[in-house]
Amino acid sequence: MRVISLIPSITETLLECKVDVVARTRYCIHPKDSVQSIPIIGGTKAVDWSKAPEAELVILDKEENSQKMAESCPYPLYVMHITNLESLRKTLLDLSKLLKNQKIMDLANKLETVLKKDLMDKKKLRDFPGIIQANEEFFQSKSLSYLIWKKPYMEIGANTFIADMIKELGYSSFFSFQESKYPEIESLDASKNHGYILSSEPYPFAKDYVEYSKAFPCALVDGESFSWYGVRSIEFLSKNRL
């Protein structure tokens, strides 16, 4: 089946599962070797359907893509809404049946198996997965915030995929998640008791890491591993959920 995927993490997952992806967004950058030959028809919020090749299915996400994209789509749609790992598992099962793809079903089953494994009680921040860089003060933190944006500062809240990843990795005790999905923070706290996880994306905190590390307990983490729901997050979880 010829598929247009407008969700970067799902584009990667479909290609890893040998689905025929015929168009993508400019943010669909993985796997690098495979996406280079696939036409770009826009971004995650707007596309030019006149540039789209003929397709049998377009895959969108309710939160990541815009309603206008869905309303203007000339092809059959499958709209996802991933909020946690269980919704990811169910969505993968749906896609495996829709696309008649065993590899996607195997991935869903792998996620189910990983989630059923006993979770070790992790309390040491030195074991926090996905860290690229961190200052020593970060490892002494008693509580944490996971930042995804700057100007304004935004952290992840409850009922988000990242929060569920953190829970299933065994680190939720370090967080006090607010009810809103992406609450804003007026300013950062210089207290040595509170640390900040700086995600490498969607905001590129890597370019500011040195500045933050001088002022706050902080760690730069690979944001794709925590937020790219699909094969990337499942492999990350499988490797680190011991």
Side-chain angles (χ1 to χ4, degrees), residues 86-100:
E86 178 58 20
S87 62
L88 171 61
R89 186 189 70 83
K90 291 179 178 178
T91 298
L92 290 174
L93 285 176
D94 286 347
L95 285 174
S96 71
K97 296 171 184 175
L98 187 61
L99 300 175
K100 297 180 174 60

Side-chain angles (χ1 to χ4, degrees), residues 61-64 80-84 87 146-149 153-164 176-185 229:
D61 179 81
K62 183 177 180 180
E63 185 170 320
E64 192 159 349
M80 311 165 48
H81 187 207
I82 305 297
T83 57
N84 53 36
S87 62
Y146 187 113
L147 302 184
I148 60 167
W149 202 254
Y153 287 116
M154 296 175 69
E155 66 177 334
I156 56 120
N159 304 314
T160 60
F161 185 81
I162 297 174
D164 199 45
S176 296
F177 295 120
Q178 297 185 43
E179 285 303 312
S180 56
K181 282 192 170 184
Y182 306 109
E184 295 183 7
I185 303 174
Y229 46 79

Side-chain angles (χ1 to χ4, degrees), residues 124-131 144 166 171 175 197 221 226:
K124 295 181 180 179
L125 284 184
R126 291 193 184 277
D127 297 327
F128 195 90
I131 290 179
L144 299 173
I166 288 170
Y171 289 92
F175 296 81
I197 294 176
V221 301
F226 285 91

Side-chain angles (χ1 to χ4, degrees), residues 109-237:
N109 292 336
K110 179 176 183 177
L111 176 56
E112 182 178 25
T113 299
V114 170
L115 292 176
K116 284 182 176 178
K117 290 181 179 179
D118 290 336
L119 178 64
M120 290 179 63
D121 188 17
K122 293 185 178 180
K123 296 296 182 182
K124 295 181 180 179
L125 284 184
R126 291 193 184 277
D127 297 327
F128 195 90
I131 290 179
I132 300 170
Q133 298 182 75
N135 57 22
E136 188 59 31
E137 290 80 8
F138 173 79
F139 298 114
Q140 310 307 317
S141 302
K142 303 301 181 184
S143 60
L144 299 173
S145 296
Y146 187 113
L147 302 184
I148 60 167
W149 202 254
K150 180 181 179 180
K151 294 183 180 180
Y153 287 116
M154 296 175 69
E155 66 177 334
I156 56 120
N159 304 314
T160 60
F161 185 81
I162 297 174
D164 199 45
M165 283 287 289
I166 288 170
K167 173 187 173 184
E168 293 299 339
L169 286 164
Y171 289 92
S172 59
S173 62
F174 286 96
F175 296 81
S176 296
F177 295 120
Q178 297 185 43
E179 285 303 312
S180 56
K181 282 192 170 184
Y182 306 109
E184 295 183 7
I185 303 174
E186 289 188 8
S187 61
L188 304 188
D189 181 5
S191 166
K192 299 301 179 182
N193 292 322
H194 191 77
Y196 294 95
I197 294 176
L198 310 175
S199 181
S200 62
E201 63 106 57
Y203 183 84
F205 276 106
K207 66 185 180 68
D208 300 325
Y209 172 74
V210 173
E211 173 189 343
Y212 283 103
S213 67
K214 293 176 181 178
F216 307 100
C218 64
L220 176 68
V221 301
D222 178 12
E224 291 179 352
S225 295
F226 285 91
S227 63
W228 278 47
Y229 46 79
V231 64
R232 184 170 295 262
S233 56
I234 293 171
E235 293 299 332
F236 183 68
L237 192 66

Side-chain angles (χ1 to χ4, degrees), residues 44-45 49 60-73 77:
T44 54
K45 302 304 179 186
W49 290 115
L60 299 174
D61 179 81
K62 183 177 180 180
E63 185 170 320
E64 192 159 349
N65 303 122
S66 68
Q67 184 174 348
K68 184 177 180 180
M69 291 168 68
E71 291 174 347
S72 61
C73 180
L77 275 176

